[in-house]
Amino acid sequence: MANVFKRFTQREIGNTLTQIDSYAVASATKATVIGLTCSNTSGDAVDVDVTLNDGTNDFYIVKNCPLPSGSTVVLVGGDQKVVMEPLDLIKVRSSSATNKVDVIMSLLEIT
């Protein structure tokens, strides 16, 4: 089994649930999210939703997390990890179409 660290980014996420960098766990693979950071790059406060999608359903990691203008929140890291199975993916949404967030996701992929 090979272990590979990977990083995925997505800029200017608006008010639609958006998959991070088109990443989904491949078949015969597992992944552990070891870091997930959301940054509000706009001039106004937003709320952020982050979900784990299992290929069919979205399960909230966080819902309506307040993110003041110019701030950053670390949703996964330290003691908090998220284990992902094949076809799982992470999605993020801002509460505003015009006030957007950037996301960085780091993970360990196990094949």
Side-chain angles (χ1 to χ4, degrees), residues 2-3 25 29 55 76 79-80 88 104:
N3 296 333
V25 180
T29 303
V76 178
D79 292 335
Q80 172 65 33
D88 284 356
I104 301 171

Side-chain angles (χ1 to χ4, degrees), residues 62-100:
V62 65
K63 184 168 175 59
N64 296 326
C65 177
L67 198 54
S69 172
S71 68
T72 298
V73 62
V74 178
L75 298 170
V76 178
D79 292 335
Q80 172 65 33
K81 309 288 185 282
V82 176
V83 175
M84 298 173 68
E85 300 287 335
L87 305 179
D88 284 356
L89 52 99
I90 300 291
K91 295 180 182 179
V92 177
R93 170 177 50 213
S94 168
S95 59
S96 173
T98 57
N99 299 312
K100 303 184 181 200

Side-chain angles (χ1 to χ4, degrees), residues 21-75:
D21 200 19
S22 300
Y23 177 78
V25 180
S27 61
T29 303
K30 293 193 178 187
T32 302
V33 179
I34 57 175
L36 182 65
T37 303
C38 297
S39 180
N40 182 349
T41 59
S42 75
D44 295 309
V46 297
D47 293 331
V48 175
D49 296 337
V50 178
T51 66
L52 171 69
N53 180 280
D54 66 0
T56 304
N57 301 297
D58 289 308
F59 301 92
Y60 284 94
I61 295 170
V62 65
K63 184 168 175 59
N64 296 326
C65 177
L67 198 54
S69 172
S71 68
T72 298
V73 62
V74 178
L75 298 170

